[in-house]
Coordinates of all heavy atoms in Angstrom, one line a residue:
M22 N 103.3 86.2 90.3 CA 103.5 87.6 89.9 C 103.8 88.3 91.2 O 103.1 88.1 92.2 CB 102.2 88.1 89.2 CG 102.2 89.6 89.0 SD 100.7 90.1 88.2 CE 100.9 91.8 88.2
R23 N 104.8 89.2 91.2 CA 105.2 90.0 92.3 C 105.2 91.4 91.9 O 105.5 91.8 90.7 CB 106.5 89.5 92.9 CG 106.4 88.2 93.5 CD 107.8 87.6 93.9 NE 107.7 86.3 94.4 CZ 107.7 86.0 95.7 NH1 107.8 87.0 96.6 NH2 107.6 84.8 96.1
A24 N 105.1 92.3 92.9 CA 105.2 93.7 92.6 C 106.0 94.3 93.7 O 106.1 93.8 94.8 CB 103.8 94.4 92.6
S25 N 106.7 95.4 93.4 CA 107.5 96.1 94.4 C 107.4 97.7 94.1 O 107.1 98.1 93.0 CB 108.9 95.7 94.4 OG 109.6 96.0 93.2
V26 N 107.6 98.4 95.2 CA 107.6 99.9 95.0 C 109.0 100.3 95.4 O 109.6 100.0 96.4 CB 106.6 100.5 96.0 CG1 106.7 102.0 96.0 CG2 105.2 100.1 95.7
D27 N 109.7 101.1 94.5 CA 110.9 101.7 94.8 C 110.8 102.9 95.7 O 110.2 103.9 95.4 CB 111.6 102.2 93.5 CG 113.0 102.6 93.6 OD1 113.4 103.1 94.7 OD2 113.8 102.6 92.7
P28 N 111.3 102.7 97.0 CA 111.1 103.8 98.0 C 111.8 105.1 97.6 O 111.5 106.2 98.1 CB 111.6 103.2 99.3 CG 112.6 102.1 98.8 CD 112.0 101.6 97.5
D29 N 112.8 105.0 96.7 CA 113.5 106.2 96.3 C 112.7 107.0 95.3 O 113.0 108.2 95.1 CB 114.9 105.8 95.7 CG 115.8 105.2 96.8 OD1 115.7 105.6 98.0 OD2 116.7 104.4 96.4
L30 N 111.8 106.3 94.6 CA 111.0 107.0 93.6 C 109.6 107.4 94.1 O 109.1 108.4 93.6 CB 110.9 106.1 92.4 CG 112.1 105.8 91.6 CD1 111.8 104.8 90.4 CD2 112.7 107.1 91.1
C31 N 109.0 106.6 95.0 CA 107.7 106.9 95.4 C 107.6 108.3 96.1 O 108.3 108.6 97.0 CB 107.2 105.8 96.5 SG 105.6 106.1 97.1
A32 N 106.5 109.0 95.7 CA 106.3 110.3 96.2 C 105.0 110.3 97.1 O 104.6 111.4 97.5 CB 106.2 111.3 95.1
G33 N 104.4 109.2 97.3 CA 103.2 109.1 98.2 C 102.0 109.7 97.7 O 101.1 110.1 98.4
H34 N 101.8 109.7 96.3 CA 100.5 110.3 95.8 C 99.3 109.4 96.2 O 98.2 110.0 96.3 CB 100.6 110.3 94.2 CG 101.8 111.1 93.7 ND1 101.9 112.4 93.8 CD2 102.9 110.7 93.1 CE1 103.0 112.8 93.2 NE2 103.6 111.7 92.8
G35 N 99.6 108.1 96.3 CA 98.5 107.3 96.7 C 97.7 106.8 95.5 O 96.6 106.1 95.8
V36 N 98.0 107.1 94.3 CA 97.2 106.6 93.2 C 97.1 105.1 93.2 O 96.1 104.5 92.9 CB 97.9 107.1 91.8 CG1 97.2 106.5 90.6 CG2 98.0 108.6 91.8
C37 N 98.2 104.4 93.5 CA 98.2 102.9 93.4 C 97.3 102.4 94.5 O 96.6 101.4 94.3 CB 99.6 102.4 93.7 SG 100.4 103.0 95.2
V38 N 97.2 103.0 95.7 CA 96.3 102.6 96.7 C 94.9 102.7 96.3 O 94.1 101.9 96.7 CB 96.6 103.4 98.0 CG1 95.7 103.0 99.2 CG2 98.1 103.3 98.4
V39 N 94.6 103.8 95.6 CA 93.2 104.0 95.2 C 92.9 102.9 94.1 O 91.8 102.3 94.0 CB 93.0 105.4 94.6 CG1 91.6 105.5 93.9 CG2 93.1 106.4 95.8
T40 N 93.8 102.7 93.2 CA 93.6 101.8 92.1 C 93.5 100.3 92.5 O 92.7 99.5 92.0 CB 94.7 102.0 91.0 OG1 94.7 103.3 90.6 CG2 94.5 101.0 89.8
C41 N 94.4 99.9 93.5 CA 94.5 98.5 93.9 C 94.7 98.5 95.4 O 95.8 98.1 95.8 CB 95.5 97.8 93.1 SG 95.4 96.1 93.3
P42 N 93.7 98.8 96.2 CA 93.9 98.7 97.6 C 94.2 97.4 98.2 O 94.7 97.2 99.3 CB 92.6 99.3 98.2 CG 91.6 99.0 97.1 CD 92.3 99.1 95.8
G43 N 93.9 96.3 97.4 CA 94.2 95.0 97.9 C 95.7 94.6 97.9 O 96.1 93.6 98.5
V44 N 96.5 95.5 97.2 CA 98.0 95.1 97.1 C 98.8 96.3 97.7 O 99.9 96.0 98.2 CB 98.3 94.9 95.6 CG1 99.8 94.8 95.4 CG2 97.6 93.6 95.2
F45 N 98.4 97.6 97.5 CA 99.1 98.7 97.9 C 98.5 99.4 99.2 O 97.3 99.5 99.2 CB 99.3 99.7 96.8 CG 99.9 99.1 95.5 CD1 99.1 98.7 94.5 CD2 101.3 99.0 95.4 CE1 99.7 98.2 93.3 CE2 101.9 98.5 94.3 CZ 101.1 98.1 93.3
A46 N 99.4 99.8 100.0 CA 98.9 100.6 101.2 C 100.0 101.7 101.5 O 101.2 101.5 101.2 CB 98.7 99.7 102.4
L47 N 99.5 102.8 102.1 CA 100.4 103.8 102.5 C 101.0 103.5 103.9 O 100.2 103.1 104.8 CB 99.8 105.2 102.5 CG 99.4 105.7 101.1 CD1 98.8 107.1 101.2 CD2 100.6 105.7 100.1
T48 N 102.2 103.6 104.1 CA 102.9 103.4 105.4 C 102.6 104.7 106.3 O 102.1 105.7 105.8 CB 104.4 103.2 105.2 OG1 105.0 104.5 104.8 CG2 104.7 102.1 104.3
D49 N 103.0 104.6 107.5 CA 102.8 105.7 108.4 C 103.6 106.9 107.9 O 103.3 108.1 108.2 CB 103.3 105.4 109.8 CG 102.4 104.4 110.5 OD1 101.2 104.3 110.0 OD2 102.8 103.8 111.5
D50 N 104.7 106.6 107.1 CA 105.4 107.8 106.6 C 104.8 108.3 105.3 O 105.3 109.4 104.8 CB 106.9 107.2 106.1 CG 107.7 106.8 107.3 OD1 107.4 107.4 108.5 OD2 108.6 106.0 107.2
G51 N 103.7 107.8 104.8 CA 103.0 108.3 103.7 C 103.5 107.8 102.3 O 103.1 108.4 101.3
Y52 N 104.3 106.7 102.4 CA 104.7 106.2 101.0 C 104.1 104.8 100.9 O 103.6 104.2 101.8 CB 106.2 106.1 101.0 CG 106.9 107.4 101.1 CD1 107.4 107.9 102.3 CD2 106.9 108.3 100.0 CE1 108.0 109.2 102.4 CE2 107.4 109.5 100.1 CZ 108.0 110.0 101.3 OH 108.6 111.2 101.4
S53 N 104.0 104.4 99.6 CA 103.4 103.1 99.3 C 104.2 102.0 99.5 O 105.5 102.0 99.4 CB 102.9 103.1 97.8 OG 102.3 101.9 97.5
E54 N 103.6 100.8 100.0 CA 104.3 99.5 100.1 C 103.3 98.5 99.5 O 102.1 98.6 99.5 CB 104.7 99.2 101.5 CG 103.5 99.1 102.4 CD 103.9 98.7 103.9 OE1 105.1 98.7 104.1 OE2 103.0 98.4 104.7
V55 N 104.0 97.4 99.1 CA 103.2 96.2 98.6 C 102.9 95.3 99.8 O 103.8 95.0 100.6 CB 104.0 95.4 97.5 CG1 103.3 94.1 97.2 CG2 104.2 96.3 96.3
T56 N 101.6 95.0 100.0 CA 101.2 94.3 101.2 C 101.1 92.7 101.1 O 100.8 92.1 102.0 CB 99.9 94.8 101.8 OG1 98.9 94.6 100.7 CG2 100.0 96.3 102.1
V57 N 101.3 92.2 99.8 CA 101.2 90.8 99.6 C 102.4 90.3 98.9 O 102.9 91.1 98.0 CB 99.9 90.4 98.8 CG1 98.7 90.7 99.6 CG2 99.9 91.1 97.5
A58 N 102.9 89.2 99.2 CA 104.1 88.6 98.6 C 103.9 88.2 97.2 O 104.6 88.5 96.2 CB 104.7 87.5 99.4
E59 N 102.8 87.5 97.0 CA 102.4 87.0 95.6 C 101.1 87.6 95.3 O 100.1 87.5 96.0 CB 102.3 85.5 95.7 CG 102.2 84.8 94.4 CD 103.5 84.9 93.6 OE1 104.5 84.9 94.2 OE2 103.4 84.8 92.3
I60 N 101.0 88.2 94.1 CA 99.8 88.9 93.7 C 98.7 87.9 93.2 O 99.0 87.1 92.3 CB 100.1 89.9 92.4 CG1 101.2 90.8 92.7 CG2 98.8 90.7 92.1 CD1 101.1 91.7 93.9
P61 N 97.5 87.9 93.8 CA 96.5 87.0 93.4 C 96.1 87.3 92.0 O 96.2 88.4 91.5 CB 95.3 87.3 94.3 CG 95.9 88.1 95.5 CD 97.1 88.8 94.9
A62 N 95.8 86.2 91.2 CA 95.5 86.4 89.8 C 94.4 87.4 89.5 O 94.5 88.1 88.5 CB 95.1 85.0 89.2
D63 N 93.5 87.5 90.3 CA 92.4 88.4 90.1 C 92.8 89.9 90.3 O 92.0 90.8 89.9 CB 91.1 88.1 90.9 CG 91.4 88.2 92.4 OD1 92.5 87.8 92.8 OD2 90.5 88.6 93.2
L64 N 93.9 90.1 90.9 CA 94.4 91.5 91.1 C 95.5 91.8 90.1 O 96.1 92.9 90.2 CB 94.9 91.7 92.5 CG 93.8 91.6 93.6 CD1 94.3 91.8 95.0 CD2 92.7 92.6 93.3
A65 N 95.9 90.9 89.2 CA 97.0 91.2 88.3 C 96.6 92.4 87.4 O 97.5 93.3 87.2 CB 97.2 90.0 87.4
G66 N 95.4 92.5 86.9 CA 95.1 93.6 86.1 C 95.2 94.9 86.8 O 95.8 95.9 86.3
P67 N 94.5 95.0 88.0 CA 94.6 96.3 88.7 C 96.1 96.7 89.1 O 96.4 97.9 89.1 CB 93.8 96.0 90.0 CG 92.8 95.0 89.5 CD 93.5 94.2 88.5
V68 N 96.9 95.7 89.4 CA 98.3 96.0 89.7 C 99.0 96.5 88.5 O 99.8 97.5 88.6 CB 99.1 94.7 90.3 CG1 100.5 94.9 90.3 CG2 98.5 94.3 91.6
R69 N 98.8 96.0 87.4 CA 99.4 96.5 86.2 C 98.9 97.9 85.9 O 99.6 98.8 85.5 CB 99.2 95.6 85.0 CG 99.9 94.3 85.1 CD 99.9 93.5 83.8 NE 100.6 92.2 84.0 CZ 99.8 91.1 84.2 NH1 98.5 91.2 84.2 NH2 100.4 90.0 84.4
R70 N 97.6 98.1 86.1 CA 97.1 99.4 85.9 C 97.7 100.5 86.9 O 98.0 101.6 86.5 CB 95.5 99.4 86.2 CG 94.8 100.0 85.0 CD 93.3 100.0 85.1 NE 92.6 99.4 86.2 CZ 92.1 98.2 86.2 NH1 92.2 97.4 85.2 NH2 91.5 97.7 87.2
A71 N 97.9 100.1 88.1 CA 98.4 100.9 89.1 C 99.9 101.2 88.7 O 100.3 102.5 88.8 CB 98.4 100.3 90.5
A72 N 100.6 100.3 88.2 CA 102.0 100.5 87.7 C 102.0 101.5 86.6 O 102.8 102.4 86.6 CB 102.6 99.2 87.3
G73 N 101.1 101.4 85.7 CA 101.0 102.3 84.5 C 100.6 103.7 84.9 O 101.0 104.7 84.3
Q74 N 99.8 103.8 86.0 CA 99.3 105.1 86.4 C 100.3 105.9 87.4 O 100.1 107.0 87.7 CB 98.0 104.9 87.1 CG 96.9 104.5 86.2 CD 95.6 104.2 86.9 OE1 95.5 104.0 88.1 NE2 94.5 104.0 86.1
C75 N 101.2 105.1 88.0 CA 102.1 105.8 89.0 C 102.8 106.9 88.3 O 103.6 106.7 87.4 CB 103.1 104.7 89.5 SG 104.3 105.5 90.6
P76 N 102.7 108.2 88.8 CA 103.4 109.3 88.3 C 104.8 109.3 88.3 O 105.5 109.9 87.5 CB 102.8 110.5 89.1 CG 101.6 110.0 89.8 CD 101.8 108.5 90.0
E77 N 105.4 108.5 89.3 CA 106.8 108.4 89.5 C 107.5 107.2 88.9 O 108.6 107.0 89.0 CB 107.1 108.5 90.9 CG 106.5 109.6 91.7 CD 106.9 111.0 91.2 OE1 108.0 111.1 90.6 OE2 106.0 111.9 91.3
R78 N 106.6 106.3 88.2 CA 107.1 105.1 87.7 C 107.9 104.3 88.8 O 108.9 103.7 88.5 CB 108.0 105.3 86.5 CG 107.3 106.0 85.3 CD 106.2 105.1 84.8 NE 105.6 105.6 83.6 CZ 104.3 106.1 83.5 NH1 103.6 106.2 84.6 NH2 103.8 106.6 82.4
A79 N 107.3 104.3 89.9 CA 108.0 103.6 91.1 C 107.6 102.2 91.3 O 108.2 101.4 92.1 CB 107.6 104.4 92.4
I80 N 106.7 101.7 90.5 CA 106.1 100.3 90.7 C 106.7 99.4 89.7 O 106.7 99.7 88.5 CB 104.6 100.3 90.7 CG1 104.0 101.1 91.8 CG2 104.1 98.8 90.7 CD1 102.5 101.3 91.7
T81 N 107.3 98.3 90.1 CA 107.8 97.2 89.2 C 107.0 96.0 89.4 O 106.7 95.6 90.5 CB 109.3 96.9 89.6 OG1 110.1 98.1 89.4 CG2 109.8 95.9 88.7
V82 N 106.7 95.4 88.2 CA 105.9 94.2 88.2 C 106.7 93.1 87.6 O 107.2 93.2 86.5 CB 104.6 94.3 87.5 CG1 103.8 93.1 87.5 CG2 103.7 95.4 88.1
D83 N 106.9 92.0 88.3 CA 107.6 90.9 87.8 C 106.7 89.6 87.7 O 105.7 89.6 88.3 CB 108.8 90.5 88.8 CG 109.7 91.6 88.9 OD1 110.1 92.3 87.9 OD2 110.2 91.9 90.1
G84 N 107.3 88.7 86.9 CA 106.6 87.4 86.9 C 105.4 87.3 86.0 O 104.6 86.4 86.1
G85 N 105.1 88.3 85.2 CA 104.0 88.4 84.4 C 104.2 89.3 83.2 O 105.4 89.8 83.1
P86 N 103.3 89.5 82.3 CA 103.5 90.4 81.2 C 103.9 91.8 81.8 O 103.5 92.2 82.8 CB 102.2 90.5 80.6 CG 101.5 89.1 80.9 CD 102.0 88.9 82.3
A87 N 104.7 92.5 81.0 CA 105.3 93.8 81.4 C 104.1 94.7 81.7 O 103.0 94.7 81.1 CB 106.1 94.4 80.3
A88 N 104.3 95.6 82.7 CA 103.3 96.6 83.1 C 103.1 97.5 81.9 O 104.0 97.8 81.1 CB 103.7 97.4 84.3
A89 N 101.9 98.0 81.8 CA 101.6 99.0 80.7 C 102.1 100.3 81.2 O 101.5 101.0 82.1 CB 100.0 99.0 80.5
R90 N 103.2 100.7 80.6 CA 103.8 101.9 81.0 C 103.8 102.9 79.9 O 104.0 102.6 78.7 CB 105.3 101.7 81.5 CG 105.2 100.9 82.8 CD 106.6 100.9 83.4 NE 106.4 100.4 84.8 CZ 107.2 100.6 85.7 NH1 108.3 101.3 85.5 NH2 107.1 100.1 86.9
Ligands
SF4_130 S1 101.2 105.9 92.8 FE1 103.5 105.6 92.7 S2 104.3 107.5 93.7 FE2 102.1 107.3 94.2 S3 102.1 106.2 96.2 FE3 101.9 104.7 94.6 S4 104.0 104.0 94.2 FE4 104.1 105.9 95.3

């Protein structure tokens, strides 16, 4: 399972970082990035939650069940 953040959509709210700090982090520019190439199984739920909570729908989750959007 992989996740990505669309830099054109991310507005830097940081919701994803709060929901799943093990996978998302804010860059020096204040936008989110994915910090791991492959999402560990125990973080799959939080990553999907973060994708569903992103106000800009900037997070894409691949390789697993569709994110709850
Ligand atoms: S919640 Fe969405 S818009 Fe906010 S920082 Fe994360 S990816 Fe960007």
Side-chain angles (χ1 to χ4, degrees):
M22 175 180 172
R23 291 170 183 265
S25 62
V26 174
D27 186 333
D29 292 331
L30 294 177
C31 177
H34 305 289
V36 176
C37 57
V38 179
V39 173
T40 301
C41 191
V44 170
F45 300 98
L47 292 183
T48 66
D49 290 343
D50 293 334
Y52 297 102
S53 177
E54 66 179 5
V55 174
T56 58
V57 295
E59 192 71 29
I60 309 298
D63 61 325
L64 293 180
V68 167
R69 291 195 186 97
R70 233 180 355 264
Q74 292 172 345
C75 174
E77 309 300 332
R78 299 296 187 250
I80 300 170
T81 300
V82 179
D83 298 318
R90 293 193 168 202

